Amino acid sequence: MAATTESQARRLMARLDALAAFSDDPLKLTRLCLSQAHRRAAEQFIAWARESGLSARVDPVGNVRARYEGRRPGAPALMIGSHIDTVRDAGRYDGALGALAALSLVDGLAAQERRLDVAIEIVAFGDEEGVRFPHTLTGSRGLVGVNEPETLAQKDADGVSMRDALKAFGGDPDHLGAARAEGVAAFVELHIEQGPVLEAEGRPLGVVTAINGATRLSAVVTGSAGHAGASPMNLRRDALAAAAEMMLAIEARALSEDELVATVGRLDVEPGAVNVIPGRARFSIDVRAPLDEPRRRAVADIAAAMQAVARRLGVALELTPTHEAKGYVCHPKIVAGLEAAVVAVGADPRLLPSGAGHDTMIMGQRWPAGMLFVRCKGGISHNPAESISEDDCAIALAALTRFVEDFRPS
Ligand code: GLV
Ligand code: MN
Ligand code: MN
C-alpha cells in the first residue's frame, strides 16, 4: 500500500473517531436525522471539506454537498458518499465511513494536484436510518427528485414535523425541488458490510450486486385498559397480549421463506403500569427480501395473519405503511468497475448482496450506482461494537481511488 494511502487511512480513522463525538446522547452515539448533533456533525463535515479547498453547503433537503472540479469546469460528476445520521446507540462506521472516505479521496487527489475527466461530488446524506421520521431516505430521494410533498408533514415521536426540523437544520423545506442533482454520471457508496461474510472468508473488500427492498409498517393495537387483579383472563382485551401473538405470526412468516427477514424493533405500551392491562400497543414492522414480489406477498400475508389475531382476540388493529423501497440490482458497469479496482489493489473481490438498505437503492433509480463493502469485525453493526481495521480502511480507500481514476462517463 502506498504511504500516502496509509496516512490518508490514519487520518480517516481519526476523523471517524472525531465525528462519533457528535451525539444527541452524552453516553452513547445517537445522531438522528436533523437533530442538533446531526447539525453539528454537518458543520464539522463542511469545515473539513473547506480545509480541502472545496466549497461545501447544506442542500435544501439536509444533505451536505461539496464538489471537486474536474479538468474541465462543469464536467459530469461522479457522486460519492454515504450518510451521517445514525441509529440509537450506534457504531461509528455505518455511513460515516463512506461519507468521510469521499473527503479523504479528494484530499488525496488534491495533494497531488490531480484533476480527472469527471468532477467528484461528495454527499453526506442525512436521512438513511429512518429512526426519527417514519418515511426515510429523503436525502437521496431529494437528489433524485422523488420526495413526496407529504414527507415534510410527517412528525417525530415528540410531534416535531420534518418541515420544522429541516428549517432548524438549515435546509429549505419550501424549495425541496432545488436539491435535485444535475450533471451526475454515476453514484458510488463505500460502506461497512454490516454482516459476517467477508470476515468469515478472510477478504477485506466486497462488491455489492444487489440491495434488498424493504417495507416498513406501523401497527397500533387497541384493546381495553383495565385492572390487572380484577379482570378475569377470559374477559380481557389485552392489547399487548394480542400484539405478542401478532409478533409471533410475523416471525413465523419470515422463517417460512429463505432470504426473507422481518423485525419488530420498537414497541410502546400504554398506559404502561405493572397493575394495568395494556389498552394500546404500538409497534414497528420491517420486512425485507432480495426480490420485490416475495416481499410484497409476505407483507400481505403478515397483514392478514395480524387481522386474524385481532378478530379472534377482540382488539382493533390499525396498520399503516410508512416506508417502501424497491430492491435494487447494482449497475453492471459500476459492479465491473469496482471489481476491477479491487483486483488492481491486490484483493480478491467477493460479489455479495446487501441485506441492509442504503441510499444507493434510491440513487440507482436515476443513475448507474453501486457499492463497495469493507469487512467489519464480527459482522456487527447497529451496535457500538462496530469496528474496522485501519489496514482495511486503507485498502478500501485505495480501491475507491482506483475506481474513480478509471471511471469514464458513458
Ligand atoms: C439501514 O441501516 C437499514 O437498512 O435499516
Ligand atoms: Mn448505513
Ligand atoms: Mn444503518
Side-chain angles (χ1 to χ4, degrees):
M1 193 72 45
T4 46
T5 320
E6 279 170 16
S7 67
Q8 272 171 269
R10 202 167 312 121
R11 186 159 185 234
L12 173 52
M13 294 295 277
R15 279 185 173 175
L16 284 159
D17 291 343
L19 204 72
F22 296 104
S23 173
D24 295 306
D25 183 329
L27 301 177
K28 45 178 96 112
L29 172 53
T30 298
R31 193 165 59 233
L32 301 192
C33 164
L34 303 178
S35 64
Q36 290 200 5
H38 180 199
R39 191 191 152 97
R40 285 185 283 115
E43 281 163 4
Q44 177 62 74
F45 198 95
I46 288 173
W48 282 328
R50 291 187 179 149
E51 270 175 36
S52 306
L54 305 177
S55 61
R57 68 195 163 96
V58 168
D59 77 4
V61 76
N63 300 308
V64 179
R65 312 253 296 263
R67 182 175 171 103
Y68 181 69
E69 269 308 340
R71 241 171 245 131
R72 274 183 309 109
L78 177 57
M79 195 173 261
I80 307 178
S82 192
H83 60 100
I84 56 170
D85 64 316
T86 73
V87 292
R88 294 182 209 282
D89 201 8
R92 60 188 53 188
Y93 302 100
D94 174 4
L97 172 68
L100 288 171
L103 270 184
S104 300
L105 179 139
V106 164
D107 278 347
L109 294 173
Q112 298 169 41
E113 297 184 3
R114 290 190 63 191
R115 298 279 168 181
L116 306 174
D117 287 344
V118 283
I120 307 292
E121 283 252 6
I122 296 174
V123 57
F125 297 109
D127 180 24
E128 194 266 359
E129 300 291 4
V131 172
R132 179 172 180 190
F133 297 103
H135 185 88
T136 189
L137 298 171
T138 53
S140 41
R141 289 185 206 272
L143 296 189
V144 170
V146 292
N147 266 316
E148 307 288 340
E150 51 274 24
T151 297
L152 291 172
Q154 58 176 339
K155 297 206 165 134
D156 70 6
D158 298 322
V160 178
S161 71
M162 187 168 220
R163 166 178 286 281
D164 289 346
L166 186 55
K167 214 177 238 169
F169 184 79
D172 185 354
D174 293 323
H175 299 95
L176 280 195
R180 196 180 141 93
E182 301 299 343
V184 174
F187 172 73
V188 66
E189 178 169 8
L190 171 68
H191 204 282
I192 56 167
E193 181 199 347
Q194 306 183 278
V197 174
L198 295 174
E199 186 180 71
E201 296 183 3
R203 301 169 201 254
L205 301 177
V207 176
V208 177
T209 51
I211 304 171
N212 277 7
T215 303
R216 291 182 184 163
L217 306 119
S218 107
V220 182
V221 180
T222 307
S224 185
H227 197 290
S231 310
M233 293 307 285
N234 62 338
L235 295 179
R236 297 178 176 208
R237 290 195 305 127
D238 182 329
L240 182 57
E245 281 206 34
M246 291 175 191
M247 288 175 212
L248 291 176
I250 294 167
E251 188 187 36
R253 180 60 180 85
L255 282 166
S256 74
E257 202 167 308
D258 267 359
E259 298 187 313
L260 177 70
V261 291
T263 306
V264 172
R266 180 165 188 161
L267 170 66
D268 298 305
V269 181
E270 295 168 23
V274 67
N275 57 352
V276 183
I277 298 162
R280 184 166 285 129
R282 300 172 197 272
F283 56 100
S284 60
I285 307 167
D286 177 304
V287 183
R288 308 192 195 202
L291 298 173
D292 292 329
E293 262 326 292
R295 171 174 49 84
R296 290 192 184 116
R297 269 200 308 275
V299 170
D301 290 350
I302 282 171
M306 291 172 69
Q307 292 294 0
V309 172
R311 275 193 303 276
R312 181 164 47 79
L313 299 180
V315 296
L317 169 66
E318 204 185 309
L319 256 186
T320 313
T322 55
H323 166 71
E324 171 87 15
K326 283 192 296 208
Y328 175 64
V329 177
C330 294
H331 195 282
K333 174 179 164 180
I334 308 297
V335 172
L338 287 169
E339 266 190 279
V342 170
V343 171
V345 299
D348 190 13
R350 165 66 145 97
L351 294 174
L352 77 174
S354 170
H358 300 284
D359 288 287
T360 295
M361 63 209 294
I362 302 298
M363 298 297 276
Q365 292 178 9
R366 189 161 160 217
W367 300 289
M371 299 188 74
L372 182 64
F373 269 178
V374 186
R375 150 173 73 188
C376 60
K377 194 169 172 200
I380 293 170
S381 183
H382 284 185
N383 184 314
E386 223 170 59
S387 173
I388 64 170
S389 75
E390 192 172 303
D391 284 353
D392 285 0
C393 181
I395 195 164
L397 260 182
L400 191 65
T401 303
R402 183 62 188 249
F403 172 84
V404 169
E405 288 167 346
D406 292 349
F407 178 80
R408 299 285 171 272
S410 42

